Amino acid sequence: MNNAHALKEKALWLGFDQIGVCDAVPAPHLETYRAWLDRGFHGTMEYLERHLPLKESPQNMLPGVRSVVAVTLNYRRENRTAPGLPRIATYALGRDYHRVIRGKLKRLATWIEAEYAGAECRPCVDSAPIFDRDYARLAGLGWFGKNTCLIDSKRGSWFFIGLLLTTVQFEPDAPSVGGCGTCRRCIDACPTGAIVQHDGVWQVDARRCVSYLTIEHKGEIEPELATGIGDWTFGCDVCQDVCPFNEPRPSQPMRSAEATDPDLTKFRQWPRLEQLAVIPSEDWDRTSQGSPIRRAGLEGIRRNARINLHNAITGSARPKPSDSR
Ligand code: B12
Ligand code: SF4
Ligand code: SF4
């Protein structure tokens, strides 16, 4: 068993905000995930079904893995928008976080491989067949809120999660404990009623979630849900905006994205909604370069802009909640 002190110092030096370690145990909540898929809550994200057998254990990702190193990177920043401009979820305002986090994790892997002869490592960010939040919770980085986001009691939930699997056995941290109590602000504020409870577990029916509809879903969107999209053009911040754990805490300020990594906040000028609704392929290609919003695709972003314009005319664009802090 290796002490994780130097590893943690290195991760913080690389710019991560929090780091924790857990043993590479089989996925603790695989059955909840299976039931979620059985209900069809994943919609058309078929890759999540394909990933099911791989997600059973981190051994499927890296044979011989002993520890999972979990890290977080804050993305909290001011997110103002103006009428006529697209409204983009805070996480997607800057450079694609997959690249930023993977780059840092690779450097952490290089450090481990140099320190521990024969060590192997595998970085995972979001798209890998592993439960990012479950392992981050085991590693002590937060607990599951009713909105299903991982929440750090002191810092809230405006952070990404990265995992580094390694064959080196590091001393594990204690899992996080915490809970929402009687609060249900996110459930009441969700514009499409996507946060539901099944078998005593709060979960997101992705088919109703604005984030899924504006990013992952291809094709038309049924009118009731399109109305719920309001003025969101890409993603949705509502269930985090209303969360009391995300209220600013002067005694424990969370680092802003600007401080986390300037690359996450590089200025981008987005076309107006009228232009986005008919944006030519070459312009979209240039505009979305290096940004998470590229994932919506040309047809998806045009559709979202059309919905926003329609909602602005019919008055179903929601009033702007407070800025992300
Ligand atoms: C698919 C997906 C989505 C889908 C579905 C979201 C969902 N809630 O399921 C959609 C497209 C809707 C989505 C939206 C967003 N996403 Co997303 N998404 C993912 C992805 C790829 C998989 C999540 C998943 O497996 N969902 C299925 C459900 C069943 O799993 P789960 O919610 O994690 O639930 C687990 C717990 O409920 C637990 N559990 C079950 N029972 C119990 C009981 C107890 C007591 C406990 C403790 C736990 C527990 O077991 C479940 C399975 O592990 C992860 C990355 C990854 N590889 O994990 C990112 C990820 C969850 N997304 C992320 C982000 C940032 C977002 C958005 C905020 C983006 C945005 N602003 O638009 C929104 C948030 C919406 C929301 N409220 O969740 C971050 C979350 C960071 C955080 N602090 O939590 C992740 C971790 C990506 C990353 N690496 O940073 N996402
Ligand atoms: S991201 Fe938006 S639509 Fe999705 S669960 Fe949260 S509040 Fe609801
Ligand atoms: S808004 Fe309330 S219920 Fe929802 S995640 Fe935050 S504390 Fe939990």
Side-chain angles (χ1 to χ4, degrees), residues 116-290:
Y116 301 90
E120 286 178 63
C121 298
R122 175 148 186 192
C124 306
V125 189
D126 183 50
S127 53
I130 187 160
F131 296 106
D132 293 356
R133 308 199 245 209
D134 264 334
Y135 289 97
R137 187 189 74 85
L138 287 177
L141 302 187
W143 42 271
F144 284 96
K146 289 177 190 169
N147 62 8
T148 77
C149 289
L150 203 74
I151 299 177
D152 173 325
S153 300
K154 291 183 187 150
R155 298 176 187 81
S157 64
W158 299 111
F159 58 80
F160 302 116
I161 297 168
L163 302 179
L164 186 64
L165 312 188
T166 174
T167 52
V168 180
Q169 175 85 63
F170 287 108
E171 226 167 74
D173 290 287
S176 291
V177 281
C180 301
T182 54
C183 177
R184 45 174 293 129
R185 281 197 210 173
C186 55
I187 299 153
D188 298 337
C190 174
T192 48
I195 306 173
V196 293
Q197 198 182 29
H198 276 281
D199 304 327
V201 178
W202 287 98
Q203 41 204 279
V204 169
D205 178 351
R207 295 169 304 179
R208 301 190 64 82
C209 175
V210 173
S211 183
Y212 164 83
L213 292 166
T214 55
I215 302 172
E216 305 289 340
H217 180 72
K218 309 283 172 248
E220 287 310 304
I221 294 174
E222 61 180 88
E224 180 225 343
L225 294 173
T227 302
I229 284 174
D231 60 355
W232 289 105
T233 315
F234 184 91
C236 170
D237 282 341
V238 173
C239 56
Q240 294 193 88
D241 253 331
V242 299
C243 181
F245 288 96
N246 283 328
E247 276 164 18
R249 285 150 199 252
S251 57
Q252 242 130 13
M254 186 183 186
R255 282 207 309 160
S256 68
E258 285 84 353
T260 302
D261 193 314
D263 258 2
L264 279 176
T265 56
K266 268 197 183 134
F267 178 74
R268 235 168 235 276
Q269 190 144 31
W270 303 107
R272 294 184 64 77
L273 287 171
E274 296 86 355
Q275 295 167 298
L276 211 50
V278 291
I279 190 166
S281 167
E282 320 77 70
D283 290 2
W284 168 245
D285 204 48
R286 206 174 39 249
T287 304
S288 61
Q289 191 84 45

